[in-house]
């Protein structure tokens, strides 16, 4: 795994002492007010913007809660229709394209988030919001806001593209872009040249110490581990194999993975800060032409606005762990034989094993190939019967070779 101050398994604070202090913080944060706005959990409670232990407890409590995670599959086709319209008192017939929804169903994946969440902070050389309204890096170690290097618009765009790409590929959210990698790639992850110089608590202290008027500390919640591109392609091929494309020429299929909530935000308690958290207030102040000036003031005025987007929580659908007792050059067959003969380890022998750096690795969680095998029959039925809503898995009692699932096995 990564360095301890880069990735932490525990849901509690890294430096919180048990007993009286922990109980007091828990008691003080019980009545913290927050709201769910879209896919965001937002709190403007003033305690969280001045007290680091309370802020840490709140973020870790809400951050460690597993998000809802699901897959949506939708198939549509277009039909040309005619209608009568009246122009200048005369009836005319015109044609138009109408989109017909053939099937539109969801599959819940939330129960697959069995593994412990992982809290992380981004590397020093990764563009991120570090207390100002522009992305910056901190390659030379901890410094004040003015000492952090502001990144260019090209670097900002490249980082946003990488976040989307890494999520589609199922990579851990703390991984850095290939152009920044200097470490050796292992079975699951690559590290940066050096771990971050700040822990999550360090960044929380930086947030609480800031005197900016409109502050926003963001903790991302990211589900990872599955190669969404590969799984999406297999589902597309499965749907086309049902004959749907021949029945509906020109049909389109839309497949998307969803998570909610996607982030936890702690924002300053000022009224101006609350405006930016309310679409109603934004619309109201836009009507009287005040909001555009507030936006410009927050964006450009020194000490007005500040964002912190340096930390998050990863929820793995699967991960590879190095088996104890294995060694470099060890084979899967030999490791499986030892596990089968060792009392208490027989269950590990039936899991997916893979030879890699340091020895043989065992899969924890659910592999996308195994999930696809379990749901292939149900998806096929849903497409054939033009179903909608949430699906319940249907069991197919015959075992047959599955080429599409086998393509996913190499992931």
């Amino acid at each position: 795994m990564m360095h301890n101050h880069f990735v932490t398994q525990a849901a509690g604070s890294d430096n919180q002492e048990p007993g009286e202090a922990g109980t007091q913080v828990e008691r003080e944060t019980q009545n913290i007010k927050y709201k769910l706005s879209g896919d965001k959990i937002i709190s403007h409670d003033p305690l969280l913007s001045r007290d680091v232990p309370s802020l840490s407890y709140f973020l870790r409590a809400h951050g460690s809660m597993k998000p809802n995670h699901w897959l949506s599959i939708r198939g549509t086709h277009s039909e040309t229709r005619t209608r009568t319209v009246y122009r200048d008192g005369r009836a005319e017939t015109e044609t138009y394209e109408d989109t017909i929804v053939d099937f539109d169903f969801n599959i819940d994946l939330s129960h697959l988030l069995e593994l412990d969440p992982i809290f992380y902070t981004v590397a020093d050389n990764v563009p991120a919001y570090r207390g100002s309204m522009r992305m910056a890096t901190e390659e030379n170690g901890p410094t004040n806001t003015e000492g952090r290097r502001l990144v260019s618009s090209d670097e900002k765009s490249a980082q946003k593209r990488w976040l989307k790409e890494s999520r589609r590929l199922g990579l851990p959210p703390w991984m850095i872009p290939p152009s920044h990698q200097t470490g050796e790639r292992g079975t699951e992850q690559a590290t940066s040249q050096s771990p971050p110089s700040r822990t999550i608590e360090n960044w929380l202290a930086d947030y609480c110490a800031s005197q900016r008027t409109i502050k926003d500390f963001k903790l991302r919640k990211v589900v990872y581990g599955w190669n969404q591109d590969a799984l999406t392609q297999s589902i597309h091929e499965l749907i086309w194999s049902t004959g749907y494309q021949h029945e509906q020429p020109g049909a389109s299929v839309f497949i998307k993975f969803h998570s909610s909530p996607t982030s936890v935000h702690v924002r300053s308690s000022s009224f101006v800060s609350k405006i930016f958290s309310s679409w109603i207030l934004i619309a109201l102040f836009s009507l009287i032409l005040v909001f555009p000036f507030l936006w410009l003031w927050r964006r450009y005025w020194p000490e007005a606005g500040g964002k912190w987007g340096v930390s998050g929580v990863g929820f793995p659908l699967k991960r590879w762990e190095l088996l104890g007792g294995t060694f470099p050059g060890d084979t899967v067959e030999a490791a499986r034989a030892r596990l089968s003969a060792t009392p208490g380890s027989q269950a590990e022998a039936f899991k997916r094993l893979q030879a890699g750096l340091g020895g043989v690795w065992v899969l924890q969680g659910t592999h996308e190939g195994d999930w696809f095998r379990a749901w292939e029959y149900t998806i096929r039925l849903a497409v054939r019967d033009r179903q909608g809503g949430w699906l319940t898995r249907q069991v197919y009692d015959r075992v047959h070779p599955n080429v599409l699932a086998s393509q996913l096995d190499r992931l």
Side-chain angles (χ1 to χ4, degrees), residues 289-403:
L289 303 180
V290 172
F291 184 75
F293 293 98
L294 290 178
W295 188 91
L296 291 171
W297 175 71
R298 182 188 68 159
R299 177 69 175 79
Y300 294 106
W301 192 264
E303 301 300 319
K307 294 181 180 181
W308 284 257
V310 290
S311 59
V313 192
F315 294 86
L317 287 161
K318 72 173 186 188
R319 69 165 177 260
W320 293 94
E321 295 181 354
L322 186 63
L323 272 175
T326 62
F327 48 87
D330 198 4
T331 65
V332 170
E333 293 74 16
R336 198 181 301 277
R338 290 198 305 271
L339 290 171
S340 301
T342 303
S345 299
Q346 286 87 353
E348 298 290 314
F350 294 98
K351 293 184 178 180
R352 286 177 179 261
L353 302 180
Q354 175 179 318
L357 294 177
V360 176
W361 299 67
V362 60
L363 180 78
Q364 304 294 350
T366 303
H367 194 278
E368 48 264 65
D370 297 332
W371 177 88
F372 186 85
R373 283 187 178 88
W375 279 89
E376 177 188 6
Y377 180 64
T378 304
I379 295 173
R380 191 183 297 274
L381 285 181
V383 172
R384 187 195 67 186
D385 298 340
R386 304 298 192 257
Q387 294 183 26
W390 292 89
L391 296 188
T392 301
R393 188 168 75 90
Q394 305 296 316
V395 178
Y396 188 59
D397 58 2
R398 289 194 302 170
V399 179
H400 59 91
N402 191 317
V403 177

Side-chain angles (χ1 to χ4, degrees), residues 194-213:
S194 59
S197 53
R198 295 184 193 246
T199 64
I200 293 180
E201 270 64 31
N202 293 150
W203 282 114
L204 298 184
D206 186 71
Y207 169 83
C208 289
S210 173
Q211 299 300 311
R212 292 176 183 256
T213 305

